[in-house]
């Protein structure tokens, strides 16, 4: 059972990139399985802050195979920009494999994402406008372009792209009353992208099977979070892919018997970008305190879109729910340092709804918007935590906060992060 999985157990941005980077030093393969460049995973190396949107966060480790898995939707232009940034710094250490089954995000997907969000008005989802939903729509409709198409001869690929753009122009022009896109220019641009990415395209499922047969260690890196899962998340305020463990197994074609550890990344408080109910949201002073001012890059502003993240108290109902639907075996609690200096902390341990108490289900959004959070109060601590490396070095109240999370979720906390740097972690 050589597979470890890291999954966001909230609404994304839990610090998965940092944890993946630190675990990647001990594995042979790191595989992203879903999402696209809506994800923004931060890895900090000395004074270099790397924001990875599509390349797995193991890329800085020599010899590691980084897989862009078959459940992803890939934006070739932004992927090439990521590769260029790494190559300029001579930091493209790992090897890279792009699944031929992954779908391609085209310019019309991005245009359609923007147009449909605008047309929804007040009912907008608050997507990243990266074309994620429309690209997955084409996948389900069996009309999408896949990375395997980038292996076609240039003229055949150009024909396919031209036809697809013309098709989507009908939607853009007639449904959304927007100008159509230039099919010829897009075809030429994507033939160029295909030339650059072709050497990396292959069979991810087979590569993983061969690695597992050879006894290699594999890490799956989830994107987004379990509450953004298309089935188990707060629908319709979700992304368009399966973020849960089962989604990863399905799209990568790996047996559940291979799974050893499933680590849920949980921020020590709660954040959300985009729309949708958020029971523990703090809109006043405490919300602003948790968000930060934007002066530090780890303040709560979106890695991909720069939008301010909504912030609130830790919600253990959502964590327990995530643990159940994704088989979490342990938690990684991140950004504990952010809570230093708050006198009294609150943690949501249940919801009150129509006279009943819920403590392990996240109800449909209509009900989730009406729940009243039940809080427990815990004493805070004043000391900064950035230099702590052992659990016993943490202030007693910070230790108590972690023990409270363990008790109320029934899961061990195996790692606690106390800063964005690679070494700023406390092993439990
Ligand atoms: P991801 O999408 O789950 O990989 O998370 P993001 O990278 O979008 O957001 C997490 C942010 O918090 C990034 O700016 C990280 O550098 C930063 N970060 C991660 N862990 C810690 C931590 O323990 N403390 C602090 N202060 N920042 C952290
Ligand atoms: P990482 O991997 C936080 C949110 C968007 C929006 C909803 C749908 O960095 O944790 P989409 O563009 O996917 O159709 O948007 O999902 N969202 C994220 N929020 N972190 C992410 O990724 C996200 N990816 C998408 O804000 O609410
Ligand atoms: Mg992120």
């Amino acid at each position: 059972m050589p597979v470890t999985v890291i999954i966001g157990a909230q609404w994304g941005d839990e610090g998965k990139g940092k944890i993946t980077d630190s675990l990647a030093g001990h594995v042979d393969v790191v595989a992203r399985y879903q999402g696209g460049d809506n994800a923004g995973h931060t890895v900090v190396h000395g004074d270099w802050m790397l924001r990875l949107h599509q390349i797995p966060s193991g890329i800085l480790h020599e010899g590691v195979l980084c897989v862009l898995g078959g459940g992803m939707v890939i934006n070739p232009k932004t992927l090439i920009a990521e590769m260029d940034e790494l190559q300029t710094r001579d930091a493209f250490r790992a090897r890279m494999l792009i699944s031929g089954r992954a779908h391609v995000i085209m310019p019309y997907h991005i245009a359609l994402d923007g147009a449909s969000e605008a047309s929804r008005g007040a009912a907008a989802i608050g997507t990243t406008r990266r074309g994620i939903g429309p690209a997955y729509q084409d996948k389900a409709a069996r009309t999408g372009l896949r990375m395997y198409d980038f292996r076609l001869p240039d003229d055949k690929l150009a024909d396919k792209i031209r036809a697809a753009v013309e098709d989507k122009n009908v939607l853009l022009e007639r449904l959304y009353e927007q100008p159509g896109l230039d099919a010829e220019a897009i075809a030429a641009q994507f033939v160029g992208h295909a030339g650059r990415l072709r050497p990396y395209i292959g069979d991810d499922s087979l590569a993983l099977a061969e690695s597992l047969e050879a006894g290699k260690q594999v890490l799956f890196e989830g994107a987004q979070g379990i509450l953004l899962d298309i089935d188990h998340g707060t629908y319709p305020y979700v992304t368009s892919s399966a973020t849960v463990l089962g989604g990863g197994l399905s799209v990568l074609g790996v047996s559940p018997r291979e799974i050893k550890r499933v680590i849920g990344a949980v921020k020590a408080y709660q954040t959300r970008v985009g729309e949708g109910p958020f029971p523990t949201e703090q809109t006043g002073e405490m919300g602003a305190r948790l968000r930060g001012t934007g002066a530090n890059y780890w303040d709560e502003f979106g890695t991909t879109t720069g939008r301010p993240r909504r912030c609130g108290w830790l919600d253990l109902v959502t964590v327990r729910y995530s643990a159940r639907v994704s088989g979490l075996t342990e938690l990684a609690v991140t950004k504990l340092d952010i809570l230093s200096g708050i006198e009294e902390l609150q943690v949501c341990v249940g919801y009150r709804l129509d006279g009943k108490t819920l403590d392990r289900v996240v109800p449909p959004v209509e009900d989730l918007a009406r729940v009243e959070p039940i809080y427990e109060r815990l004493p805070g601590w004043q000391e900064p935590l950035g230099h702590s490396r052992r659990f016993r070095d943490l202030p007693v109240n910070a230790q108590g906060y972690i023990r409270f999370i363990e008790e109320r979720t029934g899961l061990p906390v195996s790692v606690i992060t106390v800063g964005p740097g690679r070494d700023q972690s406390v092993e439990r």
Side-chain angles (χ1 to χ4, degrees):
M1 299 197 296
V3 178
T4 297
V5 188
I6 170 98
I7 308 187
Q10 294 160 315
W11 278 293
D13 301 326
E14 298 90 350
K16 300 175 293 293
K18 174 185 154 142
I19 296 167
T20 302
D21 171 58
S22 44
L23 292 174
H26 312 285
V27 305
D28 305 289
V29 183
V30 180
R32 270 276 305 267
Y33 51 90
Q34 41 67 238
D37 64 349
N38 50 348
H41 295 185
T42 314
V43 172
V44 176
H45 227 219
D47 57 5
W48 182 27
M49 191 210 28
L50 175 63
R51 287 186 161 158
L52 292 160
H53 299 282
Q54 299 178 95
I55 296 179
S57 305
I59 195 72
L60 299 181
H61 294 270
E62 192 115 31
V64 166
L65 174 65
C66 281
V67 175
L68 283 77
M72 289 184 70
V73 284
I74 291 177
N75 180 326
K77 187 174 165 201
T78 57
L79 174 57
I80 290 168
E82 262 177 63
M83 292 162 62
D84 286 345
E85 185 188 353
L86 287 158
Q87 267 152 0
T88 307
R89 292 197 171 240
D90 194 24
F92 203 135
R93 299 278 160 71
R95 292 170 296 136
M96 192 169 82
L97 170 68
I98 306 171
S99 173
R101 294 177 298 112
H103 278 245
V104 184
I105 299 178
M106 300 295 295
Y108 48 75
H109 292 134
I110 298 168
L112 288 166
D113 195 358
S116 86
E117 278 286 275
S119 75
R120 281 193 184 105
I125 291 165
T127 73
T128 57
R129 300 195 177 212
R130 293 294 190 274
I132 305 296
Y136 280 115
Q137 274 175 28
D138 275 353
K139 174 177 176 174
R142 294 153 294 179
T143 52
L145 264 107
R146 305 202 301 172
M147 291 305 294
Y148 273 141
D149 290 316
F150 278 13
R151 287 178 166 178
L152 290 169
D154 287 353
D155 56 334
K156 292 242 163 30
L157 176 61
D159 286 348
K160 204 164 177 172
I161 291 172
R162 256 186 244 107
V165 176
E166 278 156 17
D167 203 36
K168 288 298 194 293
N169 277 348
V170 177
L171 262 182
L172 276 171
E173 288 164 359
R174 299 215 191 137
L175 183 62
Y176 293 112
E177 295 172 348
Q178 294 214 349
L181 303 175
D182 183 339
E184 208 53 59
I186 293 172
Q189 191 190 18
F190 274 70
V191 164
H193 295 333
R196 179 80 187 272
L197 296 178
R198 204 168 278 137
Y200 299 98
I201 298 169
D203 186 333
D204 54 327
S205 178
L206 179 64
L208 283 164
E210 287 172 350
S211 297
L212 292 169
E213 281 155 20
K216 297 201 166 154
Q217 295 295 315
V218 175
L219 181 63
F220 292 177
E221 178 184 9
Q224 288 80 54
I226 292 169
L227 297 174
L228 290 171
D229 180 89
I230 180 83
D231 291 298
H232 298 285
T234 48
Y235 192 90
Y237 302 101
V238 292
T239 192
S240 299
S241 64
T243 61
V244 293
L245 168 65
L249 294 170
S250 157
V251 293
L252 294 173
V254 167
S255 161
R257 288 190 295 272
E258 303 286 1
I259 304 297
K260 181 169 60 184
R261 298 168 67 192
V262 188
I263 307 171
V266 174
K267 212 177 268 186
Y269 45 103
Q270 199 92 5
T271 62
R272 169 162 215 170
V273 215
E275 303 306 320
F278 178 175
T280 62
E281 181 170 16
Q282 300 297 302
T283 48
E285 230 170 75
M286 188 48 70
R289 161 66 182 77
L290 292 169
R291 183 175 309 111
T293 57
N296 305 304
Y297 66 80
W298 58 82
D299 287 342
E300 298 294 353
F301 292 81
T303 309
T304 297
T305 57
R307 289 178 290 178
R309 294 179 185 143
R310 301 157 63 194
C311 296
W313 297 120
L314 178 61
D315 181 347
L316 291 183
V317 181
T318 61
V319 177
R320 276 195 289 263
Y321 173 79
S322 292
R324 174 163 62 82
V325 300
S326 235
L328 303 184
T329 61
E330 62 204 87
L331 302 177
V333 174
T334 64
K335 301 189 83 165
L336 189 65
D337 54 302
I338 299 296
L339 299 184
S340 291
I342 300 176
E343 201 152 321
E344 186 181 68
L345 301 164
Q346 297 191 47
V347 178
C348 170
V349 294
Y351 298 150
R352 216 167 273 123
L353 179 70
D354 300 331
K356 290 199 186 109
T357 302
L358 311 178
D359 63 5
R360 62 194 296 254
V361 290
V362 175
V365 288
E366 299 73 23
D367 291 337
L368 188 62
R370 297 190 300 121
V371 302
E372 185 198 330
I374 302 167
Y375 288 112
E376 291 223 9
R377 294 166 192 275
L378 287 112
W381 58 90
Q382 294 302 313
E383 301 88 331
L385 305 184
H387 294 291
S388 306
R389 295 294 176 271
R390 290 172 306 185
F391 190 68
R392 64 173 185 270
D393 295 343
L394 294 173
V396 172
N397 288 348
Q399 294 184 21
Y401 192 77
I402 297 296
R403 288 204 180 94
F404 184 82
I405 295 172
E406 292 184 321
E407 248 167 55
R408 295 309 180 96
T409 58
L411 289 173
V413 171
S414 55
V415 64
I416 300 147
T417 73
V418 292
R422 212 182 226 184
D423 63 332
Q424 290 183 294
S425 296
V426 173
E427 299 283 336
R428 179 86 160 94

